[in-house]
Amino acid sequence: DQQVKQNSPSLSVQEGRISILNCDYTNSMFDYFLWYKKYPAEGPTFLISISSIKDKNEDGRFTVFLNKSAKHLSLHIVPSQPGDSAVYFCAAKRQWGNFNKFYFGSGTKLNVKP
Amino acid sequence: EAEVAQSPRYKITEKSQAVAFWCDPISGHATLYWYRQILGQGPELLVQFQDESVVDDSQLPKDRFSAERLKGVDSTLKIQPAELGDSAMYLCASSESIQVGTDTQYFGPGTRLTVL
């Protein structure tokens, strides 16, 4: 039972344009959402996050939007750069007793063309 | 900037051999996670520690995998015997374990395991 889904395995965007990566979730108990970026042969790097009490968080070229009613979040990259080419994972956190549990999507591979 | 350390970065072994991976989390992080990631998929949790205690090992194949975090700091994940299907990236992550809101996992560089 996959609670976090990224339905687009890949996305190709021209340099300078906007990249929009999408993520859907099913569990209303998630209270925190994160995006990670992963290059080949490296571990995921934390990129940006958003609390469930907010609907937008911005950090430079990266903005994450949360639509709780639709159980949907998206990551916008503007403008896209070739160095943004990587796999992007969406993750969600919920409390589990006295600790937290994280759930990951399957990733979207972004290719930014020069 | 504090980082999660893992070693080795790469490991090639033959099936039926034993392998071990080491992880040193960010100082002060109470929670340590071991994940397995197969190409094209998201990280899959194998085991989660809160300090030195295992809080979730429901997805750990206990007939061949073991994990420990004896002093609540660094951790070792072992596979014995390794099988061909164990070839994957093994990721370690840690978090502060903030109960409400903004608890963030930070990942190490991973160990790429190839079983021949």
Side-chain angles (χ1 to χ4, degrees):
Chain A
D1 178 26
Q2 197 169 3
Q3 300 187 44
V4 178
K5 295 180 181 179
Q6 293 176 257
N7 292 318
S8 298
S10 63
L11 175 67
S12 188
V13 171
Q14 202 69 37
E15 180 180 6
R17 306 295 291 270
I18 184 172
S19 294
I20 301 176
L21 295 95
N22 294 304
C23 178
D24 297 295
Y25 62 95
T26 58
N27 194 330
S28 58
M29 299 297 290
F30 291 142
D31 60 7
Y32 191 55
F33 302 89
L34 310 94
W35 284 95
Y36 289 86
K37 175 180 179 180
K38 186 181 184 303
Y39 293 117
E42 295 183 11
T45 302
F46 170 69
L47 192 57
I48 192 170
S49 61
I50 187 167
S51 168
S52 61
I53 63 174
K54 296 185 177 181
D55 55 17
K56 178 182 175 181
N57 187 29
E58 191 172 355
D59 183 3
R61 297 185 297 112
F62 302 91
T63 302
V64 56
F65 296 91
L66 176 62
N67 182 334
K68 286 184 66 177
S69 61
K71 293 189 174 67
H72 177 83
L73 66 156
S74 60
L75 174 68
H76 292 210
I77 306 174
V78 183
S80 301
Q81 300 173 354
D84 297 329
S85 297
V87 177
Y88 289 79
F89 290 100
C90 168
K93 179 191 79 69
R94 62 165 291 182
Q95 291 186 59
W96 187 269
N98 293 326
F99 54 94
N100 296 318
K101 287 186 69 67
F102 292 81
Y103 299 81
F104 286 83
S106 55
T108 296
K109 185 175 183 179
L110 174 65
N111 179 33
V112 180
K113 297 178 287 186
Chain B
E1 181 178 305
E3 295 182 342
V4 176
Q6 285 188 253
S7 67
R9 290 293 308 276
Y10 303 92
K11 180 70 178 178
I12 300 174
T13 190
E14 295 184 345
K15 64 178 182 178
S16 79
Q17 295 298 304
V19 292
F21 313 131
W22 176 81
C23 173
D24 192 14
I26 293 173
S27 178
H29 280 195
T31 310
L32 185 148
Y33 313 78
W34 282 102
Y35 288 91
R36 176 170 57 189
Q37 188 194 9
I38 297 169
L39 197 63
Q41 300 181 18
E44 170 197 9
L45 181 69
L46 292 173
V47 61
Q48 180 173 341
F49 290 91
Q50 185 78 7
D51 299 310
E52 67 277 3
S53 300
V54 173
V55 295
D56 186 359
D57 63 355
S58 57
Q59 301 303 310
L60 189 71
K62 299 182 188 63
D63 57 335
R64 298 185 300 108
F65 286 64
S66 64
E68 61 183 16
R69 193 185 184 197
L70 293 176
K71 297 182 179 179
V73 181
D74 60 337
S75 175
T76 302
L77 177 70
K78 296 179 181 178
I79 308 175
Q80 182 174 16
E83 296 181 352
L84 296 177
D86 296 332
S87 295
M89 174 77 89
Y90 289 82
L91 296 164
C92 178
S94 69
S95 72
E96 287 186 83
S97 193
I98 301 169
Q99 285 299 293
V100 178
T102 61
D103 193 24
T104 300
Q105 280 188 335
Y106 295 92
F107 284 85
T111 297
R112 167 68 67 184
L113 173 67
T114 302
V115 182
L116 302 176

